[in-house]
Amino acid sequence: MDQRPLVLALPKGRILDEVMPVLARIGIEPEADFARDSSRKLRFTTNIPGLEIIRVRSFDVATFVAFGAAELGVAGSDVLMEFNYSELYSPLDLGIGRCHISVAEPSALVEADEPQQWSHVRVATKYPEITKAYFAARGVQAECVKLNGALELAPTLGLCERIVDLVSTGATLRANGLVEVARIADVSSRLIVNRTALKTRSDELTAWIDRFAEVTRARAA
């Protein structure tokens, strides 16, 4: 019986720019529409028979793979921490998309603030689970205001005093008068695999894991 094509889920945005050279070294070339900004397609064939690519929001990659809509994916460790899907296997750190998750607050608040004495904080974040776990481990109750973007506006407009967000260079924080006061976790992009698919299509998926691993080792050498 013919099986459906393997589907590789890739995140839109900055990580996609970093992962494409990895795919090129492996030998995966998406169809021409993939590179066209005018294209509305989200699912693409490749030069590899039986392998297709979907391009979705970074937070959705883990969901597509966890529920079996895609067998493989590239997702940030921040996403994996936030959702903690049991159906995901993460065999490989690709060494791309490096950044970190931090707590930040207005620079005017920093001088008089003492984080070690916090007992309750109100935080704007797109990572409520990571945020609650981080503060709970320190005996702090965190009230999370879920936002999907523009978190830096929250302290400015009085929504809350602090945010928890991804930080790369810190330029966006500085531009909005914010300062990092705690580092929660380092983040990088991982290859993820659906656990059920790894059992039912073991040879195919193991071969792809090995190819990603080989290229990752070569890049790091």
Side-chain angles (χ1 to χ4, degrees):
M1 179 184 298
D2 290 338
Q3 291 180 306
R4 73 181 182 95
L6 288 177
V7 176
L8 170 63
L10 298 179
K12 298 178 180 179
R14 179 176 64 89
I15 303 305
L16 184 62
D17 293 336
E18 293 190 48
V19 80
M20 292 312 295
V22 177
L23 298 190
R25 289 187 179 96
I26 291 172
I28 300 173
E29 298 177 11
E31 63 177 282
D33 268 351
F34 189 86
R36 294 191 181 115
D37 293 337
S38 59
S39 176
R40 299 288 183 175
K41 293 178 65 173
L42 296 173
R43 184 172 184 171
F44 306 89
T45 59
T46 72
N47 62 317
I48 308 293
L51 179 68
E52 296 183 351
I53 290 174
I54 60 172
R55 187 169 56 199
V56 297
R57 293 177 183 269
S58 59
F59 261 53
D60 292 337
V61 170
T63 302
F64 274 91
V65 177
F67 286 89
E71 287 76 23
L72 293 157
V74 174
S77 54
D78 56 323
V79 177
L80 304 184
M81 290 170 61
E82 179 65 19
F83 288 100
N84 196 27
Y85 286 126
S86 61
E87 269 302 308
L88 292 182
Y89 171 51
S90 175
L92 184 63
D93 185 340
L94 297 173
I96 60 176
R98 294 193 183 280
C99 51
H100 55 277
I101 303 174
S102 285
V103 184
E105 65 185 19
S107 54
L109 186 62
V110 172
E111 188 173 340
D113 200 15
E114 296 186 24
Q116 65 273 19
Q117 294 188 12
W118 293 344
S119 59
H120 177 275
V121 292
R122 190 180 192 194
V123 184
T125 185
K126 60 181 178 182
Y127 301 105
E129 298 304 319
I130 292 174
T131 300
K132 289 175 184 176
Y134 171 79
F135 283 112
R138 288 153 183 78
V140 179
Q141 181 182 0
E143 177 188 354
C144 294
V145 179
K146 179 74 184 303
L147 293 177
N148 293 316
L151 277 86
E152 293 81 8
L153 287 174
T156 304
L157 297 177
L159 183 61
C160 57
E161 289 185 328
R162 300 173 183 90
I163 67 172
V164 168
D165 199 12
L166 280 183
V167 179
S168 181
T169 65
T172 303
L173 292 180
R174 291 190 294 273
N176 288 277
L178 301 177
V179 177
E180 290 182 69
V181 293
R183 189 169 179 137
I184 294 178
D186 291 328
V187 173
S188 60
S189 293
R190 313 295 174 91
L191 180 69
I192 60 174
V193 184
N194 177 275
R195 290 186 183 276
T196 300
L198 188 57
K199 294 176 182 177
T200 59
R201 306 182 70 169
S202 176
D203 291 346
E204 293 172 276
L205 289 173
T206 299
W208 282 114
I209 293 169
D210 290 344
R211 291 171 76 172
F212 272 94
E214 182 180 353
V215 167
T216 300
R217 286 193 298 267
R219 290 177 70 249

